[in-house]
Amino acid sequence: MKASISLNPEHTIAKIDPLIYGGFTEHMGRCIYGGLYDPKNPNTSLITPSGFRSDVLSCMRDELSCPIVRYPGGNFVATYRWQDGIGPVSERPCRPELAWSGVESNAFGTDEFMAWCAEARCEPYLCLNMGTGTLEDGLAWVEYCNGSKNTYYADLRRKNGRQEPYNVKYWALGNEMWGPWQVEQHSKEDYAKKAIQWAKAIKLLDPSVKLILCGKDGASDWDRYVLQECLKWVDMHSIHYYSAGDSHYKNISSATASARNIQIASSLVDLARCELDLSAFPDVSRITTRARSETRPKICVDEWNVWDPARAPGDQGAEERYTLSDALAVGVWLNTFVRHASELGMCTIAQSVNVIAPLMTTEAGVWRQATYFPLLLAAAYLHGESVAVHVKAPTYGGETFPEWARDTIAVPMVDAAASRHEGHLNLSVVNADLERDFLMPLEGVKKGVEVQVFVVGGEGTTVDMHNGMDSEVVNIKESTWSVEEDGAKFKFQKHSYTLLRWKY
Ligand code: AHR
């Protein structure tokens, strides 16, 4: 089979929401303490006057331009008392932490996170405790962050040094409320009932906020039910999906399969929006559907990444050491988001620092995992409008993870997505094949065009390579390619992520 790629800048799909390149920081392992916040680090030059890691800030702000960060969990949030994390640090209580079996010092709390977001120039996205937390606690937190009148919690914020409201726009109605590991696990019926009451009250307090409903993986009866019940009250529907695989192709197939969950979740949103209009019954030819809701909540993939909990257990800090294979899987994830731009309102990689993260810290500095580099390139260039790409390439027919993917989706050896932005076309391609380079004609690239080329992996690498503090062996190789004839062929190297960018 002759592999080929075609794209036309006029064939746009939808505007890409920049929030798809968001991050997530949880009180888990070394994500907050030692990741974001490290006041006792002996290398004082790395630490800002507020105790933040300046090297992490610089990666998140200056390299990844991370637009939004979810906080404080994750499973952690199910027993979190936000009130413990405000006011003088010396007076804050230590509490048992039940999600990851630790002790929470509360040295880093709401005001520290807001200050960190201001330094990172990103928006905060807060997750409410709907486990042990009450609606009163939730309302108090919204008031503390967003209250502008002289009310108790807004005044408490002022007393703690912050005059102006933080105006936190995005709030999640709980985290993985369906999970058996959750303190105060809920049935879908109980959660839906509670979520409506919380949404109603929070919007009475602050109608400007955007609420994110707690979904499952997007393809479950939980997702169907809670959307059906709560759709009118929420602005987005969250889904979580971690891909993994004990071999390279299973790893790739698992990331490819995530597209089905986004598609099913979006269909469930549409299903929940419509109801049968039976007023013309029994004239069945005139029975139609009508919308129950004017708005169409988008999908928020607020936990996604490659994660094998057997390899990196959550209660041991989940410090994955990512390989080039994982970087290619992350490339597939990012391509999937760009292709599904019409369905997605936000995506936050889980997580941003140290815990299943593209960025790692030691006392001496940061280092970038293999997975950092596709994220860096996508976040830098895949903006504007998503453009349709057609790929002709061999598919993988072996074992997949999850198993259902084998009969449900074709896993292409070459996965691609594109965007057009500020006069440039950006083409993002994963060649997952372990053996074959693909020489592919790029229809639509005209003679004389100079193409910027960024490659992660490919020649000179193997898929099991990974980085470390002193060895970022998986990184970006940059070059240019001059197109000498219309439809010239570009070589996508085996096991590589490539981003091509040219003026159109
Ligand atoms: O990101 C790690 C954990 O994975 C989160 O705390 C939880 O929400 C998910 O199960």
Side-chain angles (χ1 to χ4, degrees):
M1 174 197 280
K2 280 216 176 91
S4 68
I5 291 190
S6 64
L7 73 164
N8 177 333
E10 300 310 317
H11 296 177
T12 54
I13 301 174
K15 198 174 167 331
I16 301 166
D17 198 310
L19 296 186
I20 67 169
Y21 301 113
F24 169 35
T25 56
E26 175 168 2
H27 285 251
M28 174 180 177
R30 296 194 303 123
C31 181
I32 301 293
Y33 303 108
L36 262 50
Y37 184 69
D38 204 5
K40 299 207 176 96
N41 189 315
N43 290 306
T44 48
S45 64
L46 284 180
I47 309 302
T48 70
S50 311
F52 304 147
R53 296 277 309 217
S54 57
D55 47 1
V56 170
L57 273 168
S58 139
C59 288
M60 299 281 287
R61 179 189 55 221
D62 309 328
E63 295 187 16
L64 296 175
S65 307
C66 184
I68 191 161
V69 174
R70 179 175 180 247
Y71 172 84
N75 296 341
F76 167 80
V77 85
T79 59
Y80 181 53
R81 295 160 51 109
W82 71 269
Q83 299 92 331
D84 290 344
I86 56 170
V89 176
S90 57
E91 290 169 25
R92 296 186 192 176
C94 287
R95 302 267 185 201
E97 196 291 294
L98 302 187
W100 309 112
S101 314
V103 171
E104 175 53 49
S105 72
N106 285 300
F108 188 97
T110 303
D111 294 295
E112 287 77 20
F113 180 64
M114 295 300 159
W116 185 87
C117 286
E119 292 208 29
R121 286 189 223 119
C122 66
E123 271 207 59
Y125 163 27
L126 295 181
C127 183
L128 292 156
N129 172 2
M130 288 182 73
T132 60
T134 62
L135 174 53
E136 203 175 338
D137 293 325
L139 285 169
W141 203 12
V142 176
E143 185 193 324
Y144 185 87
C145 292
N146 293 359
S148 56
K149 301 183 185 143
N150 290 326
T151 55
Y152 180 79
Y153 285 105
D155 284 343
L156 190 55
R157 181 195 70 229
R158 292 186 189 100
K159 188 173 150 215
N160 289 338
R162 169 77 184 197
Q163 294 305 310
E164 296 307 314
Y166 291 117
N167 292 325
V168 177
K169 185 167 165 192
Y170 297 97
W171 294 84
L173 294 166
N175 172 73
E176 296 187 355
M177 301 291 294
W178 43 269
W181 50 86
Q182 231 34 264
V183 175
E184 280 288 318
Q185 177 192 5
H186 279 51
S187 68
K188 59 185 186 297
E189 292 83 4
D190 288 347
Y191 172 71
K193 233 164 137 179
K194 188 164 164 181
I196 293 171
Q197 297 310 317
W198 280 50
K200 185 171 63 186
I202 291 169
K203 291 227 175 182
L204 282 173
L205 179 63
D206 184 350
S208 73
V209 300
K210 301 277 177 216
L211 294 178
I212 291 91
L213 188 64
C214 172
K216 201 174 179 184
D217 63 3
S220 71
D221 198 47
W222 171 285
D223 292 278
R224 183 197 62 76
Y225 184 86
V226 300
L227 275 166
Q228 195 72 38
E229 296 298 308
C230 309
L231 185 96
K232 282 191 247 177
W233 298 95
V234 297
D235 302 281
M236 282 194 246
H237 179 70
S238 125
I239 66 175
H240 290 180
Y241 192 108
Y242 290 97
S243 64
D246 54 15
S247 70
H248 171 64
Y249 289 124
K250 280 203 212 167
N251 200 19
I252 298 296
S253 67
S254 180
T256 309
S258 67
R260 290 296 283 167
N261 293 57
I262 295 169
Q263 291 155 8
I264 294 169
S266 301
S267 304
L268 292 175
V269 169
D270 290 334
L271 189 67
R273 280 187 76 217
C274 298
E275 64 188 354
L276 276 183
D277 180 355
L278 292 172
S279 55
F281 189 80
D283 181 355
V284 285
S285 65
R286 288 197 300 120
I287 291 176
T288 53
T289 50
R290 64 180 167 218
R292 290 163 66 219
S293 156
E294 289 302 306
T295 55
R296 181 176 186 255
K298 289 202 172 170
I299 305 303
C300 169
V301 191
D302 57 12
E303 285 189 31
W304 72 270
N305 203 347
V306 179
W307 182 22
D308 180 352
R311 198 161 70 175
D315 56 4
Q316 290 168 34
E319 300 207 4
E320 279 273 20
R321 192 125 188 243
Y322 288 117
T323 60
L324 172 60
S325 175
D326 298 325
L328 302 186
V330 163
V332 169
W333 268 106
L334 294 161
N335 284 350
T336 303
F337 294 156
V338 171
R339 288 195 299 266
H340 291 84
S342 57
E343 314 304 320
L344 296 171
M346 191 198 302
C347 305
T348 54
I349 190 170
Q351 298 186 7
S352 292
V353 191
N354 289 331
V355 176
I356 41 174
L359 197 58
M360 302 297 288
T361 63
T362 67
E363 219 171 62
V366 292
W367 58 275
R368 296 155 191 80
Q369 299 244 29
T371 51
Y372 186 86
F373 296 100
L375 182 64
L376 177 70
L377 288 168
Y381 297 120
L382 298 178
H383 286 282
E385 287 167 292
S386 171
V387 170
V389 187
H390 296 281
V391 180
K392 196 169 118 196
T395 50
Y396 163 69
E399 283 187 358
T400 60
F401 181 81
E403 256 177 51
W404 60 258
R406 188 172 176 172
D407 313 317
T408 320
I409 52 164
V411 181
M413 285 298 184
V414 178
D415 181 277
S419 79
R420 69 172 205 193
H421 187 46
E422 296 173 346
H424 283 84
L425 260 179
N426 304 290
L427 173 63
S428 159
V429 177
V430 175
N431 175 4
D433 203 298
L434 288 174
E435 312 291 336
R436 287 171 289 185
D437 297 329
F438 289 110
L439 197 60
M440 300 175 95
L442 293 184
E443 287 164 31
V445 192
K446 300 258 161 22
K447 187 175 164 182
V449 165
E450 180 105 317
V451 179
Q452 261 178 291
V453 181
F454 304 92
V455 180
V456 180
E459 274 155 29
T461 62
T462 56
V463 280
D464 52 7
M465 269 186 170
H466 46 65
N467 293 347
M469 180 62 185
D470 300 310
S471 58
E472 286 183 3
V473 284
V474 181
N475 55 32
I476 300 172
K477 288 182 205 82
E478 209 178 325
S479 60
T480 52
W481 176 54
S482 301
V483 178
E484 271 153 29
E485 55 188 12
D486 287 351
K489 292 181 178 169
F490 183 85
K491 184 166 93 174
F492 291 98
Q493 299 167 35
K494 61 185 174 192
H495 52 72
S496 68
Y497 173 84
T498 303
L499 194 132
L500 301 180
R501 175 176 159 77
W502 65 94
K503 278 198 185 131
Y504 71 94

Coordinates of all heavy atoms in Angstrom, one line a residue, residues 24 26 28 74-75 100 175-176 181 240 242 303 307 350-351 356, ligand 1:
F24 N -3.0 19.8 35.4 CA -3.7 19.3 36.6 C -2.7 19.1 37.7 O -1.6 18.5 37.5 CB -4.4 18.0 36.2 CG -5.0 17.3 37.4 CD1 -5.5 17.9 38.5 CD2 -5.0 15.9 37.4 CE1 -6.1 17.2 39.6 CE2 -5.6 15.1 38.4 CZ -6.1 15.8 39.5
E26 N -2.5 18.0 41.7 CA -3.2 17.4 42.8 C -2.3 17.3 44.0 O -1.1 17.1 43.9 CB -3.7 16.0 42.5 CG -4.4 15.2 43.6 CD -5.1 14.0 43.2 OE1 -5.1 13.6 42.0 OE2 -5.8 13.3 44.1
M28 N -0.9 15.1 45.7 CA -0.6 13.7 45.6 C 0.9 13.5 45.3 O 1.4 14.3 44.5 CB -1.4 13.1 44.4 CG -1.1 11.7 44.0 SD -2.1 11.2 42.6 CE -1.5 9.6 42.3
G74 N -8.9 15.4 41.5 CA -8.4 14.2 42.0 C -9.1 13.6 43.2 O -9.9 14.2 43.9
N75 N -8.7 12.4 43.5 CA -9.2 11.7 44.6 C -9.0 12.4 45.9 O -9.8 12.3 46.9 CB -8.6 10.3 44.7 CG -8.9 9.4 43.5 OD1 -9.9 9.7 42.8 ND2 -8.2 8.3 43.3
W100 N -4.5 9.0 49.3 CA -3.1 8.4 49.0 C -2.4 8.1 50.3 O -1.1 7.9 50.3 CB -2.3 9.4 48.2 CG -3.1 9.9 47.0 CD1 -3.6 11.2 46.8 CD2 -3.6 9.1 45.8 NE1 -4.4 11.2 45.6 CE2 -4.3 10.0 45.0 CE3 -3.4 7.8 45.5 CZ2 -4.9 9.5 43.8 CZ3 -4.0 7.3 44.3 CH2 -4.7 8.2 43.5
N175 N -15.3 14.8 41.9 CA -14.3 14.1 41.1 C -14.6 12.6 41.2 O -14.8 12.1 42.4 CB -12.9 14.3 41.7 CG -11.9 13.4 41.0 OD1 -11.5 13.6 39.9 ND2 -11.4 12.4 41.8
E176 N -14.7 11.9 40.1 CA -14.9 10.4 40.1 C -15.9 9.9 41.2 O -15.5 9.0 41.9 CB -13.6 9.7 40.1 CG -12.7 10.0 38.9 CD -11.4 9.2 38.8 OE1 -11.1 8.4 39.7 OE2 -10.7 9.4 37.8
W181 N -13.3 3.6 45.1 CA -12.2 4.0 45.9 C -12.5 5.4 46.5 O -11.7 5.9 47.4 CB -10.9 4.2 45.1 CG -11.1 4.9 43.8 CD1 -11.0 6.3 43.6 CD2 -11.4 4.4 42.5 NE1 -11.3 6.6 42.4 CE2 -11.6 5.5 41.7 CE3 -11.7 3.1 42.0 CZ2 -11.9 5.3 40.3 CZ3 -12.0 2.9 40.7 CH2 -12.1 4.0 39.9
H240 N -12.8 11.0 32.3 CA -11.4 10.6 32.6 C -11.0 9.4 31.8 O -11.8 8.4 31.7 CB -11.2 10.3 34.1 CG -11.4 11.5 35.0 ND1 -11.3 11.4 36.3 CD2 -11.6 12.8 34.7 CE1 -11.4 12.6 36.9 NE2 -11.6 13.5 35.9
Y242 N -7.3 7.0 31.1 CA -5.9 6.8 31.0 C -5.6 5.7 30.0 O -6.3 4.6 30.1 CB -5.3 6.4 32.4 CG -5.4 7.6 33.4 CD1 -6.4 7.7 34.3 CD2 -4.4 8.5 33.4 CE1 -6.5 8.7 35.2 CE2 -4.4 9.6 34.3 CZ -5.5 9.7 35.2 OH -5.5 10.7 36.1
E303 N -8.9 14.5 33.0 CA -7.8 13.6 33.4 C -7.5 12.7 32.1 O -8.4 11.9 31.8 CB -8.1 12.7 34.6 CG -8.0 13.5 35.9 CD -8.1 12.7 37.1 OE1 -7.6 11.5 37.1 OE2 -8.6 13.2 38.1
W307 N -0.9 6.1 31.6 CA -0.6 5.7 33.0 C -0.9 4.2 33.2 O -2.0 3.7 32.9 CB -1.5 6.5 34.0 CG -1.2 6.2 35.5 CD1 -0.1 5.6 36.0 CD2 -2.1 6.4 36.6 NE1 -0.2 5.5 37.3 CE2 -1.4 6.0 37.7 CE3 -3.3 7.0 36.7 CZ2 -1.9 6.0 39.0 CZ3 -3.9 7.0 38.0 CH2 -3.2 6.6 39.1
A350 N -3.2 14.7 33.1 CA -3.1 14.3 34.5 C -1.7 13.5 34.6 O -1.6 12.5 34.0 CB -4.2 13.4 34.9
Q351 N -0.8 14.1 35.3 CA -0.9 15.4 35.9 C 0.3 16.3 35.3 O 0.9 15.8 34.4 CB -0.7 15.3 37.4 CG -1.9 14.4 38.0 CD -1.9 14.4 39.5 OE1 -1.2 15.0 40.2 NE2 -2.8 13.5 40.1
I356 N 2.7 11.1 37.4 CA 2.3 10.8 36.0 C 2.4 12.0 35.1 O 1.5 12.4 34.4 CB 0.9 10.1 35.9 CG1 -0.1 10.7 36.8 CG2 1.0 8.6 36.1 CD1 -1.5 10.2 36.6
Ligands
AHR1 O1 -4.5 11.5 38.6 C1 -4.4 10.5 39.5 C2 -5.8 10.0 40.0 O2 -6.5 9.3 39.0 C3 -6.8 11.1 40.4 O3 -6.6 11.5 41.7 C4 -8.1 10.4 40.2 O4 -9.1 11.3 39.9 C5 -7.9 9.4 39.1 O5 -8.4 8.1 39.5

